Amino acid sequence: MSEYPKLTTATTKIVTFERRHIRPIPEDERHGTTRGLFFVWLGINMLPLTVVTGALGPTLFGLSLGWTITAVIIGNVIGGFGAALHASQGPQLGIPQMLQARGQFGYFGGSLLALIALIMFLGFFASNLVVAAQSFAAVFHNDAINVGIIVCAAIALAVAIFGYDLVRKLMAVFSVVIGALVVISILIAVANPETFAPHTELGFNVAGFFGMLAIGVTWQLAYAPYVSDYSRYMPKEGGARQAFWATYSGLVIGTVLVMILGALVGLTTTDGDTMAALGRLLGGFGPVVLFAFGIASAVMNSSNIYSGVMCSLTVFETISAKIRINTSKRVIMTIAYASVAMLAALLGKDNFLVIFGDFVTILLYVLIPWSAINLIDYFVLRKGHYNVDDMFRRDGGQYGKWDTIGLVSYLVGIIVQLPFMVTTMYTGPLAEPLGFVDVAWIVGFAVPALVYGLWKRAAISKPAVMVEAGAGTGAP
């Protein structure tokens, strides 16, 4: 029996939702729908940061419009598949994504992975603050970026404290409104002669193409650490398939659409301020789009606070058996988390594009091995069969406190990428011979998947072999 008592209060009340936090969602409380889940993931990418990411093709990698769009589509299609596979785990297990890491890394080992995800959410929150502030600055024609960052952080914090139920409802609204504005913006940008002015410095280069493709993969896998947080509200019967396609279609459609707009804007971005370039390109329609993007980013950014705090809860509950999360602790943690991210945004706003480019690349390096191990364990080795109650036991139950196989395989996945890494801070020795084409993430997926799969399969089958040997010799 689970050590957590069943909560009987209706889950439509926000206070009850917060009380349950990382606990399993009972099947009689799973009222999620395919449509609702689709709009969650469609709306979450209707943000100015997605525009900035699409603009990296021309501005950072020197790619033409056609090659940028090609890389964006391929990268998101590949990465979205991985994220959707993670989402399909939610209906089966009913628990948040990073808590599932205890099944591969042990009770305490899983907290290390939750800590990595926590840092990831902080980085995306800070990045969204900068771009949202740039949107408002372009609308009001001022350089008060610091004020914009603080205001946007306050808005996101207020929504996160109120609860994620509000964010989910707002996503449905913003996905439609911002989606319509994005389509109109693309049409205006295509009709603007400035967009297609000669760009002799842009074209195709292998390193740039694979760099942009890798960013597309990263963008989707960045959602993998919390896709099950929402799909766990889907019914267990038939929910896995519904969760997969709702998540996949929502993520890929929303991201590709907005990144294509970003690619168009990137052709005219000269000063590193993509949102200002968007405003100039759209003319009189620009302020409307920029203001809507700014509001959407400020509100949707609350999801990064909330998910980061959920990871914090997973970590803190492993520190001591005496720690019990309540509303006051959650609110204090939320305020502290938002404050740290806001400070990071204020300090890094001047070199945002370079910092953000490195951030998403490094993020890929640390997420890929976890994703590989989780998917191999869930779909190949255990085929979705886990003892969820054991994941809440301090001794880890059958998963233990620390899973050596999972942790070592993850470390191997990081190490094997080092020779191939391509960032402004560090470039591996094999990067130059490969023309600085970033293939580290491919190695980082294949190697830990193979190491963990073979090693864990042997460990799982060993008890069965011993039992059969004992039976053959007449042993008890």
Side-chain angles (χ1 to χ4, degrees):
M1 179 180 295
S2 172
E3 64 182 272
Y4 292 106
K6 178 177 175 62
L7 301 176
T8 56
T9 309
T11 56
T12 54
K13 294 183 179 181
I14 190 65
V15 64
T16 304
F17 176 79
E18 298 301 338
R19 284 177 56 204
R20 195 173 291 286
H21 56 89
I22 62 175
R23 299 178 188 176
I25 305 299
E27 291 188 49
D28 60 357
E29 294 181 11
R30 298 190 186 184
H31 306 302
T33 64
T34 304
R35 179 182 178 184
L37 194 61
F38 169 77
F39 279 112
V40 163
W41 297 116
L42 180 72
I44 205 168
N45 285 306
M46 298 292 179
L47 299 172
L49 186 61
T50 319
V51 178
V52 172
T53 305
L56 292 177
T59 60
L60 187 63
F61 296 112
L63 295 175
S64 64
L65 177 64
W67 285 115
T68 297
I69 293 176
T70 301
V72 162
I73 292 175
I74 295 175
N76 280 280
V77 166
I78 294 173
F81 187 75
L85 284 175
H86 287 289
S88 68
Q89 301 170 13
Q92 175 68 21
L93 302 180
I95 55 177
Q97 193 73 61
M98 293 315 296
L99 196 139
Q100 296 177 21
R102 293 175 179 175
Q104 296 91 47
F105 302 95
Y107 184 83
F108 292 100
S111 293
L112 296 179
L113 278 298
L115 181 61
I116 292 173
L118 185 155
I119 296 172
M120 178 200 76
F121 293 128
L122 188 149
F124 272 109
F125 179 71
S127 299
N128 273 305
L129 287 180
V130 174
V131 182
Q134 289 177 343
S135 297
F136 287 126
V139 171
F140 298 108
H141 303 289
N142 61 57
D143 297 323
I145 301 296
N146 287 350
V147 175
I149 289 174
I150 294 172
V151 171
C152 291
I155 294 173
L157 177 60
V159 177
I161 289 177
F162 184 84
Y164 207 85
D165 183 56
L166 174 62
V167 179
R168 290 194 300 161
K169 294 175 182 177
L170 291 175
M171 280 181 179
V173 175
F174 277 106
S175 63
V176 175
V177 175
I178 302 298
L181 292 177
V182 167
V183 172
I184 295 172
S185 297
I186 290 176
L187 295 176
I188 294 175
V190 170
N192 191 332
E194 183 183 347
T195 304
F196 299 101
H199 300 284
T200 56
E201 75 281 7
L202 302 180
F204 174 81
N205 66 87
V206 177
F209 180 79
F210 277 91
M212 193 64 199
L213 187 151
I215 282 180
V217 174
T218 308
W219 188 268
Q220 297 297 337
L221 285 182
Y223 292 112
Y226 65 113
V227 283
S228 282
D229 295 8
Y230 313 106
S231 64
R232 63 182 174 145
Y233 289 95
M234 298 291 286
K236 187 172 184 178
E237 186 67 30
R241 182 181 295 274
Q242 297 172 31
F244 176 90
W245 287 113
T247 302
Y248 184 79
S249 56
L251 281 175
V252 174
I253 292 173
T255 308
V256 169
L257 185 66
V258 182
M259 282 191 180
I260 287 176
L261 175 61
L264 289 165
V265 176
L267 297 175
T268 64
T269 302
T270 56
D271 56 0
D273 191 339
T274 305
M275 301 317 293
L278 174 62
R280 291 192 298 268
L281 196 62
L282 298 182
F285 192 61
V288 176
V289 175
L290 290 173
F291 187 79
F293 263 134
I295 294 295
S297 184
V299 173
M300 301 297 195
N301 212 6
S302 59
S303 65
N304 286 307
I305 304 179
Y306 185 85
S307 296
V309 170
M310 290 300 101
C311 289
S312 299
L313 300 181
T314 301
V315 174
F316 286 158
E317 283 201 342
T318 64
I319 295 176
S320 171
K322 297 180 180 180
I323 293 180
R324 284 292 180 264
I325 304 300
N326 55 32
T327 301
S328 62
K329 288 188 179 70
R330 181 188 64 82
V331 171
I332 292 173
M333 192 184 304
T334 301
I335 295 173
Y337 191 85
S339 300
V340 171
M342 182 182 70
L343 180 61
L346 291 171
L347 295 176
K349 68 181 186 304
D350 295 329
N351 298 304
F352 172 68
L353 277 181
V354 174
I355 294 173
F356 180 66
D358 278 343
F359 168 69
V360 294
T361 302
I362 294 172
L363 184 62
L364 179 63
Y365 298 150
V366 298
L367 280 180
I368 279 287
W370 161 78
S371 179
I373 291 170
N374 174 272
L375 295 178
I376 287 294
D377 189 69
Y378 186 93
F379 290 101
V380 178
L381 299 180
R382 304 185 193 272
K383 296 180 173 30
H385 298 295
Y386 292 84
N387 187 325
V388 174
D389 287 343
D390 276 12
M391 293 183 184
F392 289 91
R393 292 176 51 178
R394 291 194 62 78
D395 63 0
Q398 69 184 73
Y399 307 110
K401 295 181 178 180
W402 303 91
D403 190 302
T404 302
I405 298 176
L407 293 170
V408 171
S409 299
Y410 179 79
L411 183 61
V412 168
I414 298 294
I415 293 174
V416 296
Q417 294 181 84
L418 292 175
F420 304 95
M421 289 182 177
V422 181
T423 70
T424 58
M425 295 180 293
Y426 168 79
T427 299
L430 296 181
E432 185 173 0
L434 293 173
F436 296 101
V437 176
D438 192 348
V439 297
W441 60 277
I442 300 176
V443 178
F445 186 92
V447 174
L450 184 63
V451 171
Y452 181 86
L454 295 177
W455 192 357
K456 178 63 77 170
R457 182 183 293 276
I460 292 175
S461 62
K462 185 178 295 184
V465 172
M466 294 175 64
V467 169
E468 290 176 4
T473 59

